[in-house]
Amino acid sequence: MSSLNTSLSIAMQALMAEQGAIEATSNNIANANTPGYSRVVPIFEEAEPTDVNGISIGNGVVLAGYQSVRDQVLATRIDQVTQQNSGAQAQLNSLQQVQTYFDSTGTDIGSEMSAFFSSISELETNPSSSSLRQSVLSAAQNLATAFRTTSSGITQVQTGLNQQVTSDVAQINQLTAQIAQLNSQLAQAKAGGQDGGTVQDQMNEDLSQLSTLTDVSVTQTESGITVTTGNGTALVSGSQSFNLQTSAGPGGMTQVLDSEGNNITATIQNGDLGGTLQVRDGTLPGLLNQLDTLANQFATAMNSANASGTDLDGNTGGAIFSVPSTVAGSAADITVAMTDPSQIAASSDGTTGSGGNLTNLLAVQNAQLPMGSSPTDAYSSLVFNVGEVTSNAQAEVSGTGSALTQLQDQQSAISGVSIDEESANLLQYQQAYEAAAKVVSTIDELGAVALNMGTGEGSYY
Amino acid sequence: MTLLPSFDRDALAARYLSLLESLTLEINAGLSALVKRSIHEFRSHLAQQEQLCFELREITMILADRTSPSFSLPHLGGDSELSSRIFRATQELQTLNRTYGSFLRHSAQSGALLAAVCRSFQDRLRPVSGAMGQSTLSCEG
């Protein structure tokens, strides 16, 4: 009889466990399309075995209870990759705007620089020609305008990003306040013996949105969740939220402060805010510095070359361009100083109509500036750099986007294999990743060799 | 380095272009397979990628070898249209390769994390019995 009772008990436990599973499955199907809904997974455990005369007798499975479970590992990775994807997207959006100023439109710096030197070359055919001299001055004006337009364009993008920082911080504060409130509601629901699944789902949705804005870390505690930034600054703890603040920093750039007033701007790496800050404070100042250096050194070199000759009136050549004494702001403020075409110092020997010094002016195009390259090469390098950072951001957007799709697919999939099989499966992936990384590296090398061979449009070899 | 038979430069360049295009296709296919988490399909594309990389490296080494008696580099080919196509195919491949590299880096991090979880749970999980024995911790890659 005892054995019959034991068998019935095991059967009842198994039946209860199955019933629970059916209810969970029905709930999952009904909510499958609800954003932020967490799959409810039935958790089964073996019942404690009974020890009879030293022999362990199994007691079947028991339903330990429902747990609103998202696989925490996958959820964490999804949050991390979401933050990286949003950061890369923010970088890409702003860099694509910057790139338009370097497109070869005919009025870009490269085109205008080329036109400027062409006009000097034309002047060589008739150095005393007023119209050809005027053409040189006009080309100089166009080139100065191109420098100013490009500099102004980059600065405008930077200003837009600065406004975005304030907007992102406001959204972060709104979300953390909501999360704190939901945290409180969830604690109350659980204290009252309720599941609180709907509140949990809303909180998950808010956390996902928060992940698109900045890098956050979520920790489960007894009082609910604690949300911190990547560097550990508290944003939410239980029912309390801690607002980020903003303040004007150097150059009018908005700084992000924690609730205690500490500057955490440099520690924010991902999400829209992280990507915005990286471009605003890192990429764009770097590009502006390159542009300023080129404008300053190019103008100085041209002025120096003009000073080595004499103009139509027999005077030593004056400055063609005017730039600030410091490098900073040179591209924004470059102007043409020369007002009279006769001041172009074409002559090298003081003879009217001589064009000997035009060779010196033309030589600047390919002469090495203090920055280590010629004006033409320096500008090409600048264009290349803009293309590189934009391309890298694009690759990161695509790469993280694919990684996110993979993770989401993985999260929604139900695994039926044992942990041993899963470990073996993961090992296969790791080996494949290592082999694939070598392929990536080889293609990189092949590209570099191709460049060294002089690969280029129309001249591959 | 394996010596390739001597043939005209445009033929070599055409072969190079064909390999570049094939490799681009294989990387795209491999990426799709990984996103779908189809490891067998991915490994098949990976093997193709490795083979194509090997062939491309062989040709590249010959093209880069300016002392090679077979070729008078750097002006190897006369077909400018072919050169342009190779240039564009190289650019496309390099762009795709960046995406591939980024995806692999992020995906490998996820895999390493899950593998660590599996290792730490391996000793603690007991096999379950009964009708719902299939409900175990999900760690598949």
Side-chain angles (χ1 to χ4, degrees):
Chain A
M1 191 64 191
S2 171
S3 70
L4 178 62
N5 282 342
T6 305
S7 296
L8 280 174
S9 173
I10 291 172
M12 280 302 289
Q13 285 173 10
L15 190 64
M16 283 169 66
E18 277 199 83
Q19 184 62 35
I22 290 165
E23 285 171 15
T25 306
S26 303
N27 199 23
N28 287 338
I29 292 167
N31 290 284
N33 296 319
T34 306
Y37 178 71
S38 303
R39 193 157 50 90
V40 177
V41 178
I43 300 296
F44 299 96
E45 288 176 356
E46 273 185 299
E48 281 297 310
T50 307
D51 188 80
V52 180
N53 297 328
I55 299 169
S56 182
I57 299 172
N59 282 325
V61 292
V62 293
L63 180 61
Y66 287 132
Q67 288 185 24
S68 184
V69 175
R70 283 170 72 182
D71 186 321
Q72 287 302 311
V73 175
L74 288 173
T76 301
R77 276 301 289 162
I78 285 174
D79 287 345
Q80 287 172 349
V81 178
T82 298
Q83 290 157 23
Q84 288 160 344
N85 179 263
S86 300
Q89 188 66 62
Q91 290 188 43
L92 180 62
N93 291 345
S94 48
L95 291 170
Q96 281 175 333
Q97 291 177 51
V98 169
Q99 203 172 26
T100 60
Y101 295 99
F102 293 91
D103 286 344
S104 187
T105 56
T107 56
D108 60 292
I109 293 171
S111 302
E112 296 297 6
M113 191 180 282
S114 179
F116 174 64
F117 284 110
S118 292
S119 70
I120 297 174
S121 189
E122 280 287 303
L123 186 58
E124 274 189 314
T125 61
N126 184 2
S128 55
S129 164
S130 296
S131 63
L132 290 178
R133 282 173 171 266
Q134 184 56 53
S135 294
V136 173
L137 273 197
S138 297
Q141 293 282 7
N142 291 340
L143 177 55
T145 301
F147 269 113
R148 290 196 302 271
T149 303
T150 305
S151 175
S152 163
I154 296 173
T155 305
Q156 277 177 31
V157 172
Q158 201 174 25
T159 304
L161 292 173
N162 199 39
Q163 291 164 350
Q164 186 63 38
V165 170
T166 308
S167 167
D168 281 349
V169 167
Q171 284 186 67
I172 289 167
N173 288 340
Q174 190 182 357
L175 283 167
T176 52
Q178 277 176 210
I179 291 166
Q181 196 178 9
L182 292 167
N183 221 3
S184 175
Q185 287 176 20
L186 192 61
Q188 286 172 11
K190 285 187 173 171
Q194 294 173 327
D195 177 59
T198 309
V199 177
Q200 180 71 62
D201 291 341
Q202 180 58 51
M203 190 191 288
N204 291 346
E205 184 69 13
D206 286 352
L207 285 169
S208 292
Q209 277 188 45
L210 191 60
S211 286
T212 66
L213 291 169
T214 186
D215 34 3
V216 289
S217 178
V218 181
T219 314
Q220 188 72 43
T221 65
E222 284 182 6
S223 59
I225 58 163
T226 295
V227 183
T228 58
T229 63
N231 77 326
T233 300
L235 294 175
V236 177
S237 179
S239 60
Q240 193 175 1
S241 63
F242 302 91
N243 276 356
L244 294 179
Q245 306 168 60
T246 54
S247 74
M253 291 295 143
T254 301
Q255 303 297 295
V256 182
L257 315 177
D258 67 14
S259 60
E260 293 177 348
N262 302 307
N263 191 335
I264 59 166
T265 311
T267 67
I268 300 167
Q269 302 292 321
N270 291 305
D272 190 81
L273 182 57
T276 298
L277 287 169
Q278 276 189 41
V279 176
R280 187 197 73 172
D281 298 344
T283 313
L284 297 190
L287 290 177
L288 277 171
N289 180 259
Q290 275 185 276
L291 193 64
D292 284 340
T293 305
L294 173 59
N296 191 285
Q297 295 185 2
F298 167 76
T300 304
M302 288 307 301
N303 291 346
S304 176
N306 202 51
S308 64
T310 51
D311 64 16
L312 276 181
D313 298 325
N315 299 319
T316 300
I320 300 175
F321 294 100
S322 169
V323 283
S325 54
T326 56
V327 168
S330 289
D333 294 335
I334 187 171
T335 55
V336 174
M338 195 174 276
T339 53
D340 187 343
S342 69
Q343 293 172 322
I344 296 171
S347 172
S348 57
D349 57 6
T351 312
T352 304
S354 156
N357 195 47
L358 292 175
T359 309
N360 290 330
L361 288 168
L362 280 171
V364 171
Q365 184 172 17
N366 298 309
Q368 186 171 310
L369 298 175
M371 65 196 299
S373 54
S374 69
T376 310
D377 287 347
Y379 182 70
S380 297
S381 172
L382 190 54
V383 173
F384 178 79
N385 288 346
V386 173
E388 277 285 291
V389 290
T390 308
S391 181
N392 284 338
Q394 177 69 71
E396 195 63 6
V397 168
S398 304
T400 50
S402 295
L404 206 48
T405 305
Q406 187 194 41
L407 282 165
Q408 284 162 343
D409 179 67
Q410 198 169 350
Q411 191 188 41
S412 62
I414 296 172
S415 169
V417 295
S418 74
I419 199 159
D420 289 335
E421 285 175 278
E422 286 166 349
S423 291
N425 195 21
L426 282 166
L427 187 63
Q428 282 190 59
Y429 272 94
Q430 284 177 313
Q431 288 168 343
Y433 285 143
E434 282 172 25
K438 285 179 188 161
V439 168
V440 171
S441 169
T442 302
I443 294 171
D444 264 350
E445 286 168 20
L446 289 171
V449 173
L451 280 173
N452 288 336
M453 287 195 297
T455 306
E457 185 79 57
S459 88
Y460 170 61
Y461 311 102
Chain B
M1 182 175 74
T2 306
L3 288 175
L4 294 180
S6 180
F7 46 79
D8 73 61
R9 290 173 280 200
D10 282 346
L12 187 66
R15 174 68 184 150
Y16 192 79
L17 174 63
S18 167
L19 290 170
L20 285 174
E21 290 171 341
S22 298
L23 184 53
T24 301
L25 287 174
E26 283 299 332
I27 289 178
N28 267 319
L31 257 167
S32 298
L34 256 190
V35 170
K36 290 187 298 185
R37 297 183 303 123
S38 175
I39 184 69
H40 298 298
E41 195 185 332
F42 175 65
R43 286 168 77 160
S44 160
H45 291 299
L46 182 59
Q48 288 295 317
Q49 290 166 18
E50 287 171 329
Q51 177 59 33
L52 289 164
C53 276
F54 177 79
E55 286 188 59
L56 272 169
R57 187 193 283 272
E58 290 281 296
I59 295 180
T60 303
M61 286 174 79
I62 292 171
L63 295 178
D65 181 5
R66 290 164 191 256
T67 61
S68 167
S70 304
F71 306 100
S72 56
L73 289 169
H75 301 293
L76 195 65
D79 187 341
S80 63
E81 169 58 24
L82 185 59
S83 293
S84 295
R85 288 177 63 194
I86 290 175
F87 176 74
R88 288 194 295 273
T90 303
Q91 277 195 319
E92 190 186 344
L93 178 61
Q94 292 298 330
T95 301
L96 180 62
N97 196 42
R98 287 178 191 217
T99 298
Y100 193 35
S102 168
F103 173 60
L104 286 171
R105 194 171 64 252
H106 291 289
S107 193
Q109 281 172 7
S110 303
L113 197 61
L114 286 167
V117 172
C118 271
R119 277 196 302 277
S120 66
F121 274 82
Q122 212 150 19
D123 295 333
R124 285 194 277 157
L125 284 185
R126 293 169 301 177
V128 297
S129 57
M132 297 306 292
Q134 295 294 300
S135 296
T136 61
L137 176 75
S138 169
C139 299
E140 78 173 15

